[in-house]
Amino acid sequence: MNFDKIYLPYGLTKWLIMKTEHKKSQKDTEERIISAAKKVFIEKGLDGARMQEIADEAEINKALLHYYFRSKDQLFEMVFRNEAQKFFPKIIPILSNTSIGFEERIKLLVKQYFVLLLDNPFLPTFIIRETNRNPEDLVKLFSFIGLDVRALKDTLKEAAGQMGFDEKFSIHLLINTVSMCVFPFAARPILTPVLFDNNSQEFNKFLEEREEFVSQFIIDSIKFKMSRK
């Protein structure tokens, strides 16, 4: 008996095709909902968003939205975790990578943040606002996205030792680096009218230049600190 070719009954074949197409359709709908929810939540936050708005943005009816996500909180949790996972890049692997010098590590860390934030300029405001709304969930969030706080502290301590600094300086260094990357995006509504005359193109140009500026500023501060030891 030749098993090289097995022909299924027409009815079974049709059923398998329809089932596959149905799964693909479900996945497409779910992705459309999540994309729509992200847009609405980032603009209005959990408290200001409405399920009807999300359904309208996804171009589906509200009943179908509730079929996929029973509550606004459930949908928000998925969106927030996804976005928070982007917001905390792989700090530990970068800082602990001894195969490259500290200058390259700083440049790589800054680059990761700027690539992320240029693609998601409203992400910092969203993360900060929602974290302040429910800070007790931070520990669970860190665990979910795989950010080991103890490992981060150990990495900072080790990096400080490699450069001959105390641990406190390395914490300042990390906070300075991240905040210098994030602040222009979080403060965009203030900076654009005050410093750039509401010229979005000029502000975007400033952001493109800032990656190199931040990297060099941090590297120079480290070199200055080392020269005074």
Side-chain angles (χ1 to χ4, degrees):
M1 188 173 189
N2 186 0
F3 290 98
D4 292 339
K5 294 182 180 180
I6 298 177
Y7 296 96
L8 296 174
Y10 173 75
L12 179 57
T13 303
K14 186 177 180 181
W15 178 83
L16 287 171
I17 292 172
M18 289 176 64
K19 189 172 180 64
T20 302
E21 290 177 348
H22 177 65
K23 285 185 177 179
K24 184 177 183 300
S25 176
Q26 281 188 315
K27 183 175 175 58
D28 290 344
T29 302
E30 184 172 327
E31 289 176 352
R32 199 160 74 245
I33 290 171
I34 293 172
S35 177
K38 173 185 171 181
K39 181 177 179 181
V40 174
F41 283 136
I42 286 180
E43 181 182 344
K44 299 188 175 182
L46 173 63
D47 294 335
R50 297 289 177 268
M51 290 293 268
Q52 186 62 59
E53 289 180 278
I54 296 171
D56 292 343
E57 183 67 33
E59 298 182 344
I60 60 174
N61 61 55
K62 192 174 177 181
L64 184 59
L65 175 58
H66 280 287
Y67 170 79
Y68 282 91
F69 296 95
R70 293 182 179 180
S71 69
K72 184 173 71 168
D73 286 342
Q74 181 192 17
L75 180 54
F76 175 81
E77 184 177 353
M78 175 175 284
V79 171
F80 184 74
R81 285 183 172 183
N82 287 344
E83 297 310 302
Q85 198 162 9
K86 296 176 186 176
F87 192 66
F88 298 99
K90 297 179 180 178
I91 297 173
I92 296 174
I94 293 174
L95 294 182
S96 61
N97 185 359
T98 56
S99 65
I100 56 177
F102 78 86
E103 291 189 25
E104 290 306 311
R105 279 180 263 179
I106 293 297
K107 289 178 181 178
L108 187 56
L109 182 61
V110 171
K111 184 176 184 62
Q112 278 215 5
Y113 267 107
F114 269 88
V115 168
L116 166 68
L117 295 172
L118 286 169
D119 286 341
N120 303 271
F122 300 105
L123 183 57
T125 305
F126 173 63
I127 296 294
I128 292 168
R129 179 182 63 218
E130 298 305 325
T131 298
N132 286 333
R133 186 184 61 81
N134 201 4
E136 60 270 18
D137 280 351
L138 264 183
V139 175
K140 290 190 292 184
L141 173 65
F142 287 157
S143 175
F144 175 81
I145 65 178
L147 180 61
D148 187 333
V149 177
R150 173 50 55 189
L152 175 60
K153 290 180 179 179
D154 290 343
T155 299
L156 289 174
K157 186 176 181 179
E158 184 179 347
Q162 290 170 3
M163 293 184 287
F165 303 136
D166 59 30
E167 186 179 359
K168 184 176 287 186
F169 178 78
S170 67
I171 293 173
H172 280 296
L173 189 64
L174 178 63
I175 292 173
N176 285 346
T177 303
V178 174
S179 60
M180 288 179 72
C181 295
V182 170
F183 179 77
F185 294 91
R188 183 175 189 141
I190 300 171
L191 297 179
T192 305
V194 173
L195 298 179
F196 296 92
D197 297 323
N198 280 319
N199 189 325
S200 295
Q201 288 185 335
E202 285 299 314
F203 184 75
N204 290 335
K205 183 180 177 183
F206 161 77
L207 291 176
E208 291 173 3
E209 297 168 349
R210 188 160 175 80
E211 178 186 334
E212 182 178 351
F213 175 85
V214 171
S215 295
Q216 197 58 51
F217 188 90
I218 296 298
I219 290 168
D220 288 344
S221 71
I222 294 173
K223 288 180 176 178
F224 178 75
K225 179 78 171 176
M226 294 176 75
S227 70
R228 292 176 61 85
K229 287 196 301 181

